[in-house]
Amino acid sequence: MNKPVLGCIADDFTGATDLANHLVRGGMRVVQTVGVPDSAFEEEADAIVVALKSRTIAPAQAVAQSLHALAWLRERGVAQVYFKYCSTFDSTPAGNIGPVTDALMTALGCGFTIACPAFPDNGRTVFQGHLFVGDALLHESGMRHHPLTPMSDANLVRVLQAQTTRRVGLIDHASVARGAQAVRDRIAQLRAQGVEIAVVDATSNAELVAMGPAWADLPLLTAGSGIAMGLPRNFGMHERSAAAAQLPAAQGSRAIVSGSCSVATNGQVRSFLDAGGAGFAVDPLQLANGVDVVTQALDWARPRLAQGPVLVYATAEPAAVKAAQQKLGVDAAGALVEQALAAVARGLVREGVGQLVVAGGETSGACVQALRIDRLRIGPQIAPGVPWCHASSPFAPRGLHLALKSGNFGGSAFFHEAFECLA
Ligand code: ADP
């Protein structure tokens, strides 16, 4: 078995999938794990992405979890480590980007690393150390109102410096624009000045790809998913290695479980039903009244699976969601629906569903947990940010194809396109 060359630690689940998707498109075979697996791990992969949920937990906990992931990745023999965070640099004044970076550097004996959140495809660019979201500086974007990690300063050198005792500097756009050798020269200059972490300017995919070779000798990279575009080539892989995205043949019947109430998902559910697709609506108020909606949904689905795909959804328009939340409370309504949909997903898989699409980030987390999945092999992309994955589950003896779609991803025909992709 070949050793994986790249070990990634992601601070949330959908961010991990986004990174994995980029690496697969660059020609790497990728397995994503849900936390650090506690069972044997014998997967053929060029890169492993460990998905943590450490973005907003206490810094000491985030450090401990990240170091645990690092130790496990090093046991697998990885040559380079990648700490993945959000492209809007989501962090509190106390961390966790700075403290986790510090701890990983110390553990790896690494004297220099980069901080590069840029993701131009999603409008996240960095210029003179300042992060832009579209055409707005970070602190003037919607991020200033984020409920957990409000960002009030776009100057990332200053933001990161407040989170670490190591000196923070900048690989400026003038160097970046001149390519990998100029970036290497700038790194040498910064190191001579005692800088240990450098924010990297980047305004386009072309720059991220061109800079890639400059990262080859760094034991640790910290970034959003953008720089992943320039990495596979450092390991001799490239986007034409389509075999990287290959999954086992799809089998079993098809289903969709949708708990996202985003504009995009509402459109996708409507479009599926309008095209004559079979759908079962889950009502949170019935759940709260103790009605066994899970059994009803499974009884409804069973005779329809052979003609599949079937859709079980709690997806609703904002007014209906608000009404349920006012009656039940926001958290209680969310948890009730997530648990019900996760039980439906598990029931459907037990009934022979082998190709399952889940819509909604939190809903996906609940389904993965209910299906007791601890790792996913990442396959072909359905829509930007959403690949098909393949997983083992004690409820799916022949394995399971899974697509986990976070709320706003995908066009209106996403459900149809997803299954087309496996046909
Ligand atoms: P997204 O990726 O769009 O944010 P999530 O699954 O992360 O989707 O979040 C959607 C949340 O809304 C979940 O907690 C889900 O249980 C909840 N939810 C789904 N349908 C309803 C509904 N009809 N009423 C109230 N809450 C709902």
Side-chain angles (χ1 to χ4, degrees):
M1 198 170 79
N2 291 327
K3 277 188 194 165
V5 288
L6 183 65
C8 310
I9 303 166
D11 68 356
D12 88 332
F13 190 85
T14 42
T17 310
D18 178 27
L19 170 60
N21 186 46
H22 269 91
L23 294 171
V24 169
R25 284 164 65 76
M28 297 181 98
R29 296 166 303 167
V30 182
V31 172
Q32 175 177 333
T33 67
V34 185
V36 174
D38 49 19
S39 55
F41 188 89
E42 282 162 12
E43 310 279 348
E44 272 292 341
D46 303 310
I48 304 174
V49 182
V50 178
L52 301 179
K53 211 169 184 283
S54 57
R55 185 167 294 167
T56 53
I57 62 178
Q61 266 181 304
V63 164
Q65 288 186 18
S66 305
L67 288 176
H68 179 46
L70 176 69
W72 183 81
L73 287 167
R74 289 175 92 184
E75 278 169 29
R76 315 264 89 68
V78 301
Q80 190 172 47
V81 175
Y82 187 140
F83 169 38
K84 155 75 173 71
Y85 39 74
C86 188
S87 60
T88 39
F89 216 69
D90 299 18
S91 48
T92 65
N96 293 330
I97 296 177
V100 170
T101 301
D102 276 342
L104 296 175
M105 287 179 81
T106 302
L108 285 163
C110 158
F112 184 86
T113 190
I114 55 164
C116 184
F119 188 6
D121 277 348
N122 270 4
R124 273 64 152 170
T125 55
V126 183
F127 186 66
Q128 310 298 18
H130 288 68
L131 179 58
F132 288 81
V133 178
D135 59 3
L137 282 160
L138 178 65
H139 64 280
E140 292 166 357
S141 75
M143 280 305 294
R144 70 181 185 278
H145 299 307
H146 193 285
L148 302 175
T149 53
M151 299 300 288
S152 56
D153 188 0
N155 182 328
L156 296 186
V157 175
R158 207 157 46 203
V159 170
L160 187 52
Q161 190 65 81
Q163 298 180 20
T164 172
T165 52
R166 295 175 198 267
R167 199 157 154 214
V168 181
L170 175 67
I171 300 179
D172 58 325
H173 192 257
S175 308
V176 169
R178 284 184 287 123
Q181 189 50 49
V183 170
R184 283 198 197 92
D185 294 345
R186 177 68 180 155
I187 291 175
Q189 196 182 31
L190 289 170
R191 295 187 79 154
Q193 294 167 3
V195 168
E196 290 178 274
I197 311 175
V199 171
V200 183
D201 277 354
T203 62
S204 68
N205 286 353
E207 285 170 0
L208 289 168
V209 172
M211 276 189 275
W215 316 139
D217 299 330
L218 300 178
L220 174 70
L221 305 169
T222 88
S225 59
I227 67 160
M229 275 181 265
L231 286 188
R233 279 168 192 264
N234 291 349
F235 302 107
M237 293 153 214
H238 51 78
E239 58 281 1
R240 283 183 297 282
S241 335
Q246 211 152 25
L247 298 180
Q251 45 74 39
S253 43
R254 298 170 161 182
I256 305 150
V257 169
S258 180
S260 159
C261 297
S262 70
V263 175
T265 307
N266 266 293
Q268 289 155 358
V269 166
R270 213 174 312 117
S271 145
F272 179 85
L273 297 174
D274 287 350
F280 180 97
V282 170
D283 177 356
L285 298 176
Q286 284 202 324
L287 285 171
N289 285 336
V291 177
D292 188 356
V293 179
V294 173
T295 302
Q296 287 179 356
L298 293 172
D299 288 345
W300 169 86
R302 202 168 294 114
R304 293 175 171 83
L305 281 174
Q307 291 84 43
V310 299
L311 164 68
V312 177
Y313 64 103
T315 304
E317 298 290 345
V321 174
K322 211 174 201 156
Q325 288 175 335
Q326 270 167 358
K327 277 232 166 83
L328 309 173
V330 174
D331 291 346
L336 204 58
V337 172
E338 280 166 36
Q339 288 319 308
L341 291 180
V344 169
R346 191 173 49 208
L348 288 170
V349 169
R350 277 191 167 132
E351 297 283 346
V353 166
Q355 305 167 46
L356 178 67
V357 174
V358 183
E362 295 299 325
T363 310
S364 293
C367 290
V368 164
Q369 202 175 22
L371 288 163
R372 282 200 253 144
I373 289 168
D374 74 348
R375 67 198 68 170
L376 300 152
R377 181 169 292 280
I378 309 297
Q381 172 173 296
I382 305 161
V386 201
W388 269 111
C389 307
H390 189 263
S392 322
S393 157
F395 304 101
R398 291 187 293 160
L400 174 69
H401 280 74
L402 203 56
L404 305 170
K405 186 191 87 75
S406 102
N408 268 317
F409 287 176
S412 64
F414 178 85
F415 298 149
H416 173 72
E417 287 161 8
F419 294 114
E420 282 285 290
C421 204
L422 287 184

